[in-house]
Amino acid sequence: MADTLRRLTNTSSFSVLQDKLESWHKDYHVISCDQNLNRCCELIELTAKIQGELFAILNFTAAEGGHYAGVDTLKMRLLPWLGSCFSMTRPSVSADTSLQLIQESVEKDRRIRELSTSHDNDMQKMETQLCSTRMQLDSVRAELVDAQKELDETKSKSATTLLATEDEILQLKADLRSAHEQVEIYKRKMDALDDYERQIRLLRDEVSYLSTEKAMLQERYSYNTQCSCVITAYAHIDTTIQSSVLMMYFSSVSSRFLSSRLVRSRSPSPLPRLSRSSSPMRSESPTRAQLTNSSRHARLVSRFSDLYAVERLEAQTLLRRYITDLEMVQKIIFIAVVESFKTAKLAYRQFKLRVRKTLSPSHFGPESLEDAAVDYIVRNLDLYDVQDSVNDVINAMNVNPRISFPPEVDFVLISSLIRETCRVAFAMQTLDPPLDLAFASDGELYNENKYRRSYDSEFTAPLVMYHVWPALVEGNAVLVKGEAVTRRGALWSRSRSRSRSTSPVRSRSLSPTRSLVSLYNI
């Protein structure tokens, strides 16, 4: 019995029966009627086999219990179950209930037929929509093919139009060049007109000065006549009174003469342009300084490069005649350029203040007083007293402890470089924004964006020993690189020893060139 029960447990017959039953339940509505009957018979056979095994276990169990063991269980459970299985079954429903079941079955069949009919109709509608969709898809494909053909035609036409457009562009470029040439011609004419106007203003100032001098002479003549009359009238008075009267006359004449000399020595005062500022056509037009800002910017940057390439080399050649040390020569030129920029910027600020003060009483127009002052300075750059700036630069260089010069010569030797640098620096202050030199100091960290190394530099040295030429900047952007010398060694000790040992006392005797400059200033 134990072996039979173990075999029945190992085969998992009930699990197989359950799996087959679940598989039949899933496929019941899919497979045919014969297949369902076969599945049912298979399950009955499997159930019978299991029951046979169970009855064999029941028999072995009852035999092991003896004659009387298990009799109650068999009487109470097995025999009643066998009687109920082999008894004749009776119908559990009445005639009315069976009739109702038949009606429900007919109603279900009718619903099934209606659902089948609606399903067929839906399928036909879906097929019709599918056909229409396919027709629309075919039409869209045809339209797509037509659009592709039109696109190809448009591409070919565009290529032809592009060739024609390129010809038109070339023609427009030629017209633009001719227009630019005409504009340049008109600009030159305007510059010539401005020169004529400036000359006219200078002539008017000269005429006003001559008129003033004429009035002075007439007044002087009237004073002479009055004094002669007074002397004649008081001829009988003491000579002491006569001498006091003559001294009073000569003092008044000399004071008037000196005031006229001072008026003549000054630069002509800027005159307001009433004819242009009062014109209604210039209500919104920019000033000349704003119109020519870009062209002046490019010209001044190019001029700064020319100073490095031409004037610097000429000054260096001239200084080498008196100084054998190339380093000192390059330092002198660098400091001269830096001092020239400082002096020119200071002169520009002073000149601008004078112009603003002169224009403020009579200024009116759309542009501001600041723009009017800058515009006047741009138109009259020749009024800048460059010689005064040159003298200031030379005086600053004479007291600079970093450079030295032989006592028999003077820094006037490089006055040509200083003069041109002052002019360029003064003109750079009229730009918007103005141009300036980059800050430079000996011993600073070498910056490739600001400087390039000289040919005799040590290219591995990180610090600048001294500068040869400053860098030109516009705000924080470097426009023209400078030149610097980088070397390794005792930089600070060398510079200090040189500045202490080679700098002579500045209170030396005047050289011929220095005395010449002094006489010129007087």
Side-chain angles (χ1 to χ4, degrees):
M1 187 278 297
D3 296 334
T4 305
L5 183 60
R6 186 183 301 110
R7 185 175 62 254
L8 184 62
T9 304
N10 292 332
T11 54
S12 301
S13 300
F14 288 99
S15 299
V16 175
L17 180 63
Q18 181 67 26
D19 294 338
K20 288 183 177 293
L21 187 62
E22 291 178 356
S23 176
W24 184 28
H25 179 266
K26 291 180 181 178
D27 300 336
Y28 182 80
H29 296 285
V30 179
I31 61 179
S32 64
C33 179
D34 294 335
Q35 291 176 350
N36 287 328
L37 292 176
N38 290 328
R39 293 278 184 92
C40 185
C41 291
E42 183 180 358
L43 290 175
I44 292 172
E45 291 174 357
L46 183 58
T47 305
K49 289 180 181 180
I50 296 172
Q51 287 180 356
E53 295 289 337
L54 292 175
F55 274 109
I57 295 171
L58 180 65
N59 188 17
F60 283 117
T61 305
E64 290 177 355
H67 293 281
Y68 301 104
V71 174
D72 295 335
T73 303
L74 293 174
K75 288 179 180 181
M76 297 298 294
R77 299 193 65 179
L78 180 61
L79 293 178
W81 177 74
L82 289 175
S84 63
C85 288
F86 289 103
S87 63
M88 197 68 162
T89 59
R90 296 179 182 179
S92 60
V93 292
S94 62
D96 296 335
T97 304
S98 62
L99 181 60
Q100 186 178 359
L101 292 175
I102 292 171
Q103 289 178 356
E104 289 178 358
S105 177
V106 171
E107 185 67 23
K108 288 181 180 180
D109 291 339
R110 187 180 60 79
R111 288 180 181 178
I112 289 172
R113 285 194 300 271
E114 289 178 357
L115 290 174
S116 177
T117 304
S118 64
H119 178 70
D120 293 338
N121 293 332
D122 293 338
M123 289 295 293
Q124 289 179 359
K125 289 180 181 178
M126 292 180 67
E127 288 179 356
T128 305
Q129 291 178 358
L130 181 62
C131 292
S132 62
T133 305
R134 287 177 179 175
M135 293 176 62
Q136 292 178 0
L137 181 61
D138 293 336
S139 63
V140 170
R141 287 178 179 174
E143 291 177 358
L144 182 61
V145 172
D146 296 338
Q148 186 66 31
K149 291 180 180 179
E150 291 180 358
L151 181 60
D152 295 336
E153 293 178 358
T154 304
K155 285 183 179 180
S156 60
K157 292 180 181 179
S158 299
T160 307
T161 307
L162 181 62
L163 295 176
T165 306
E166 288 180 354
D167 296 336
E168 293 178 358
I169 289 173
L170 294 176
Q171 182 64 31
L172 290 174
K173 286 183 178 179
D175 296 340
L176 183 61
R177 284 195 298 270
S178 62
H180 281 308
E181 292 176 356
Q182 292 180 359
V183 168
E184 292 296 331
I185 294 173
Y186 291 149
K187 284 183 178 179
R188 287 195 292 269
K189 290 182 179 179
M190 287 295 295
D191 293 337
L193 182 61
D194 293 336
D195 294 337
Y196 293 152
E197 291 180 354
R198 183 172 55 81
Q199 292 178 4
I200 289 173
R201 290 197 303 272
L202 293 176
L203 290 175
R204 286 176 179 174
D205 294 337
E206 191 71 20
V207 168
S208 62
Y209 167 74
L210 292 176
S211 300
T212 305
E213 191 173 1
K214 179 180 178 181
M216 274 184 53
L217 292 175
Q218 290 178 355
E219 187 177 359
R220 181 179 178 181
Y221 178 75
S222 63
Y223 281 158
N224 288 331
T225 305
Q226 292 176 4
C227 288
S228 61
C229 293
V230 169
I231 292 172
T232 304
Y234 294 96
H236 61 280
I237 303 176
D238 191 7
T239 57
T240 304
I241 298 176
Q242 292 181 2
S243 62
S244 62
V245 170
L246 291 176
M247 288 181 66
M248 289 174 60
Y249 164 73
F250 283 119
S251 63
S252 63
V253 171
S254 62
S255 63
R256 290 178 179 274
F257 181 73
L258 288 175
S259 63
S260 65
R261 287 291 304 274
L262 289 175
V263 172
R264 180 64 179 269
S265 62
R266 292 174 186 166
S267 60
S269 60
L271 298 175
R273 298 193 173 190
L274 299 178
S275 60
R276 289 193 177 186
S277 61
S278 60
S279 176
M281 299 302 292
R282 287 196 61 187
S283 60
E284 297 295 335
S285 61
T287 61
R288 177 180 175 85
Q290 296 172 352
L291 290 173
T292 61
N293 187 73
S294 59
S295 60
R296 290 186 294 111
H297 182 280
R299 185 173 66 252
L300 290 173
V301 171
S302 176
R303 185 69 185 99
F304 184 79
S305 301
D306 293 340
L307 287 176
Y308 171 77
V310 180
E311 279 80 356
R312 181 187 68 88
L313 295 179
E314 292 178 355
Q316 181 173 327
T317 304
L318 187 60
L319 290 175
R320 288 301 296 274
R321 298 177 184 176
Y322 304 96
I323 303 176
T324 58
D325 187 5
L326 179 60
E327 177 181 343
M328 181 55 63
V329 170
Q330 292 175 345
K331 284 185 176 181
I332 289 173
I333 294 175
F334 176 79
I335 292 175
V337 173
V338 173
E339 292 294 337
S340 298
F341 263 80
K342 291 180 181 178
T343 306
K345 288 192 292 184
L346 179 60
Y348 175 78
R349 288 194 292 268
Q350 295 174 353
F351 189 76
K352 190 176 180 180
L353 289 175
R354 292 198 301 270
V355 172
R356 285 170 56 89
K357 185 177 180 181
T358 306
L359 291 179
S360 57
S362 58
H363 173 71
F364 63 93
E367 70 275 1
S368 61
L369 180 60
E370 184 77 14
D371 295 338
V374 174
D375 185 59
Y376 177 82
I377 295 174
V378 170
R379 293 174 181 271
N380 301 276
L381 288 175
D382 53 345
L383 297 180
Y384 167 49
D385 190 2
V386 66
Q387 186 59 41
D388 191 14
S389 297
V390 171
N391 296 334
D392 293 339
V393 171
I394 292 175
N395 293 333
M397 293 177 67
N398 285 331
V399 297
N400 195 317
R402 296 172 55 196
I403 56 178
S404 62
F405 213 59
E408 64 273 7
V409 292
D410 201 347
F411 288 118
V412 181
L413 287 172
I414 57 173
S415 60
S416 177
L417 172 65
I418 297 173
R419 181 179 294 104
E420 294 301 321
T421 306
C422 288
R423 287 175 179 172
V424 172
F426 187 86
M428 284 181 177
Q429 306 310 307
T430 62
L431 298 176
D432 186 23
L435 305 183
D436 200 356
L437 299 181
F439 176 76
S441 63
D442 293 344
E444 66 175 333
L445 188 64
Y446 175 73
N447 188 356
E448 293 184 355
N449 296 327
K450 291 172 57 177
Y451 303 104
R452 55 176 176 273
R453 300 178 193 266
S454 60
Y455 69 95
D456 55 346
S457 298
E458 294 182 5
F459 289 88
T460 58
L463 300 180
V464 175
M465 187 173 183
Y466 65 91
H467 298 80
V468 178
W469 191 257
L472 185 66
V473 295
E474 182 180 1
N476 294 328
V478 178
L479 300 181
V480 180
K481 285 187 177 182
E483 184 177 347
V485 178
T486 57
R487 292 175 188 166
R488 295 183 180 274
L491 178 64
W492 297 109
S493 61
R494 182 178 179 183
S495 62
R496 289 172 183 171
S497 62
R498 181 178 295 274
S499 63
R500 291 177 181 177
S501 61
T502 59
S503 297
V505 180
R506 295 296 173 182
S507 60
R508 58 196 177 202
S509 61
L510 285 175
S511 63
T513 54
R514 185 185 292 271
S515 61
L516 247 159
V517 174
S518 304
L519 289 175
Y520 177 78
N521 291 332
I522 295 173

